[in-house]
Amino acid sequence: MAAKVGIFAAILLVCAILLPLLASSFPNHRPEFLEYDSSKTDVTIHGDNNNVVHANVNDIAIPSSNYETRNERSLKEKKKSNKNKNKKNKKEMKSHEHGFEAFNFEHPLIGGGHHGYSHVFPGYNVDPIAEEHKQPEILGGLREGFYQNTCPQAEQIIKNGLIRALQNDSTIAAAIPRLFLHDCLVKGCDGSIFLDTTPSGGKVEKLSPSNGVTVKGFELIDEIKAELEENCPGIVSCSDVLAYLSRDAFVASGLPYYEVSGGRRDSMESRVENVVGNLPLPDDTVDQMIHLFNRKGLNAEDLVVLIGAHSIGVAHCFNFLYRLDTPEKAQMVDPRLGGVMKFTCASEMSTIAFDATTQYKMDSVFYKQLLMKKGLLESDQVLAQDIRTRGLVQRFSNDEVGWFNKFGVAMNKLGAVEVLTGNQGQIRKQCRAVNL
C-alpha cells in the first residue's frame, strides 16, 4: 500500500514540473473571429497578439449563417442586374425598331445613297441566340422560314427585286400590297390574280372592273419569279412571292419589319366572276365591309388596321368624285378637300394621294385625316363615323406604334385566307400561266 502511494506522488511531482514547461513553449493563442457588418464590404479580423487585419468580404469564408445571408443578397443583386439589363435591351430594341430610316437610295422619302440591306431593312439581322430559341409560327398551314432549307436566298432575291423597282417607280410600294389584298380576298391567297389565261379559257380576275388598270406590279412579279426559277427551280410559289414582297414594300415605306409565313401554293384557275362580292367597293358601308371581312376570317379591328395601308398610294377620281354630287355625301367631305378634288380631277383617271402630307410613308397621319373628314374614299371616311370603328380610328391616330404592332399581325391573317398548301395547287414556273 505504501508503495502505491509513493508511485502516485511521484507522478504528481512530474506533472507539476513538466506542465509549466510545455505551456511556455507555445505563444498565447486564441481562436480568430470576424466582426461582420452587412452594410460594409470590409470586415475586421482579430488574431494573435491582438493583430488586426482588414479584408474584403468576398475574399474570405463567412460562417454558415452569414453565408446564407450573403448568398440571398447575391441572388437578389443578380436578379436586379438582369432586370436592369433587360430594361436596357428592350429600350434599345424599341429605339432601333421605330427609329430606323426607310430606303437610303434616292427615294422620295429621304434620298441618299444605297448602302445595303442593313440600312434598307433595319432589324433584318436577327441575334443568332434569339433565333436559335425562336419557334417558327404556324398559321393556316403556313410557317415562318419555309424556304430556309429549300431556297435560303428566296427572301433576299425578292427584296433585291423591290429595291430595283423602287429606284424607277416610287409608287410600286403601294401597288404591291393592293395586289396582295385583291388576290387574297378573292378565293384566297393563291396567285390567281396573276393569270392571263387558264385551261378553261374564260375571263380571268385581272380583267374585272375592280382590277383592270387600277392594279399593277405584274412585271415586277415576273422578273422576281424568273430569278427565283434560275436559283431554285420549282420551289417558290407566285403567291408567296407576293406575300413577302408586300411585307418588304411596307418596310421600305417605314413600317417595322415583321416575319411572314410561307408555304402557299398557286391556284390553277382564275375567274372574273369570282371577284364580284369579294372586294370592298369605294361606296361600301361599314356593315358591308365588316361582313366581307368576317367571311374571310377577319374582324372589324383587322379592317381598320389594314385600311391604314392607304397611308401610301393614290386613288383614282372615278372612285370618289361622285361624293360631291349630292349634298348629303358632300357634307362628309372637308370643304378644302372638295376644292382639291374639283381642281385635280380633270378626268376620271386622274389621281390624288390618299395622304398628300406623307404620301410615301406609312404613318398615323392617314387616321388623323379621317377624323377631319379628309378621307378620299367614302368607304374609308365612314370608318371614322361609325360607332363600331370610330374608336379604333381615334386610337390609331394617337398611337402609331400600337398600329404598327397590329399591322403585321393583321397582314399575316390576311395572308392565310383560304390558302392552298401541301399537295394542293401547284408551284407555277411562270406566274401568268398554269403549268401544263
Side-chain angles (χ1 to χ4, degrees):
M1 185 66 165
K4 290 182 178 180
V5 171
I7 293 172
F8 182 73
I11 292 173
L12 289 176
L13 180 62
V14 170
C15 289
I17 295 171
L18 292 177
L19 284 175
L21 293 173
L22 290 170
S24 64
S25 66
F26 291 94
N28 293 332
H29 179 77
R30 59 179 171 178
E32 295 179 353
F33 67 90
L34 306 179
E35 288 183 359
Y36 177 63
D37 185 348
S38 63
S39 65
K40 299 179 180 179
T41 57
D42 291 335
V43 295
T44 303
I45 305 175
H46 294 278
D48 300 333
N49 299 322
N50 290 322
N51 291 328
V52 178
V53 179
H54 296 282
N56 190 279
V57 71
N58 295 317
D59 297 330
I60 61 176
I62 299 175
S64 59
S65 60
N66 285 336
Y67 176 78
E68 291 171 359
T69 303
R70 176 189 171 194
N71 192 41
E72 290 174 0
R73 187 178 71 254
S74 178
L75 289 174
K76 289 180 181 178
E77 290 174 353
K78 185 175 181 181
K79 289 180 180 178
K80 184 177 180 181
S81 176
N82 289 338
K83 186 176 181 181
N84 291 335
K85 286 181 180 179
N86 289 335
K87 285 183 178 179
K88 182 179 179 182
N89 290 338
K90 287 180 180 179
K91 185 176 181 181
E92 289 175 352
M93 287 176 65
K94 185 175 181 181
S95 174
H96 173 73
E97 184 179 39
H98 299 298
F100 61 79
E101 296 177 323
F103 274 96
N104 284 328
F105 55 72
E106 293 186 4
H107 183 270
L109 280 175
I110 51 176
H114 173 44
H115 300 297
Y117 282 114
S118 61
H119 298 279
V120 177
F121 294 94
Y124 224 77
N125 296 325
V126 181
D127 184 347
I129 296 177
E131 185 68 19
E132 181 181 352
H133 295 88
K134 185 173 182 291
Q135 295 296 326
E137 182 179 1
I138 299 176
L139 185 65
L142 310 175
R143 73 172 187 272
E144 295 174 10
F146 186 82
Y147 297 104
Q148 185 173 357
N149 296 323
T150 56
C151 188
Q153 66 270 45
E155 292 188 50
Q156 187 75 27
I157 290 173
I158 293 169
K159 290 192 292 288
N160 286 342
L162 179 66
I163 289 175
R164 291 191 300 268
L166 278 170
Q167 289 175 325
N168 297 318
D169 180 9
S170 59
T171 66
I172 198 71
I176 292 298
R178 185 167 188 266
L179 202 58
F180 183 61
L181 177 76
H182 282 222
D183 183 45
C184 291
L185 291 184
V186 179
K187 303 294 288 185
C189 307
D190 59 3
S192 55
I193 196 170
F194 299 135
L195 290 173
D196 288 337
T197 60
T198 62
S200 65
K203 287 187 175 182
V204 293
E205 292 174 25
K206 64 170 58 176
L207 298 178
S208 165
S210 295
N211 291 316
V213 296
T214 66
V215 291
K216 66 176 186 176
F218 299 108
E219 293 78 11
L220 175 57
I221 299 294
D222 293 339
E223 177 187 325
I224 292 173
K225 177 61 174 173
E227 188 173 351
L228 287 169
E229 285 299 307
E230 288 180 7
N231 289 271
C232 313
I235 299 296
V236 185
S237 68
C238 299
S239 46
D240 271 352
V241 170
L242 183 56
Y244 291 120
L245 195 61
S246 296
R247 183 270 312 278
D248 293 341
F250 283 131
V251 172
S253 303
L255 197 78
Y257 174 83
Y258 60 93
E259 292 288 349
V260 169
S261 298
R264 300 165 189 80
R265 289 172 66 86
D266 301 322
S267 171
M268 293 180 283
E269 70 168 23
S270 179
R271 299 178 180 177
V272 67
E273 55 267 25
N274 289 338
V275 177
V276 179
N278 283 313
L279 288 179
L281 300 174
D283 60 349
D284 271 354
T285 64
V286 175
D287 279 334
Q288 289 171 318
M289 289 187 287
I290 290 179
H291 179 65
L292 170 61
F293 270 56
N294 285 345
R295 285 196 290 114
K296 306 299 179 179
L298 306 170
N299 56 36
E301 182 178 83
D302 296 323
L303 168 64
V304 179
V305 168
L306 292 175
I307 210 69
H310 284 169
S311 179
I312 56 177
V314 298
H316 289 82
C317 289
F318 67 82
N319 282 322
F320 58 78
L321 198 56
Y322 71 90
R323 299 176 64 194
L324 302 178
D325 294 338
T326 60
E328 183 179 354
K329 292 184 182 294
Q331 287 180 358
M332 298 302 296
V333 180
D334 174 78
R336 287 168 294 181
L337 176 61
V340 172
M341 289 178 177
K342 292 178 180 178
F343 179 80
T344 306
C345 292
S347 73
E348 289 191 341
M349 292 306 297
S350 299
T351 60
I352 298 179
F354 283 112
D355 173 10
T357 306
T358 55
Q359 180 179 350
Y360 299 98
K361 183 181 179 183
M362 287 286 286
D363 55 28
S364 61
V365 173
F366 172 74
Y367 291 108
K368 291 180 172 65
Q369 291 179 339
L370 291 184
L371 295 173
M372 296 185 289
K373 296 184 179 181
K374 293 183 178 180
L376 284 175
L377 300 184
E378 182 180 5
S379 55
D380 288 352
Q381 190 59 59
V382 292
L383 294 174
Q385 271 67 49
D386 192 280
I387 191 172
R388 292 165 292 181
T389 52
R390 178 177 175 82
L392 291 167
V393 173
Q394 291 174 329
R395 184 199 308 174
F396 298 145
S397 72
N398 294 317
D399 184 10
E400 186 173 89
V401 173
W403 170 55
F404 282 165
N405 292 336
K406 289 180 178 293
F407 195 89
V409 176
M411 280 293 291
N412 276 318
K413 286 179 67 176
L414 173 64
V417 171
E418 300 177 44
V419 292
L420 302 176
T421 58
N423 294 323
Q424 299 174 312
Q426 62 180 201
I427 306 296
R428 292 193 215 126
K429 297 178 181 178
Q430 295 182 353
C431 294
R432 293 176 182 262
V434 174
N435 298 341
L436 299 177

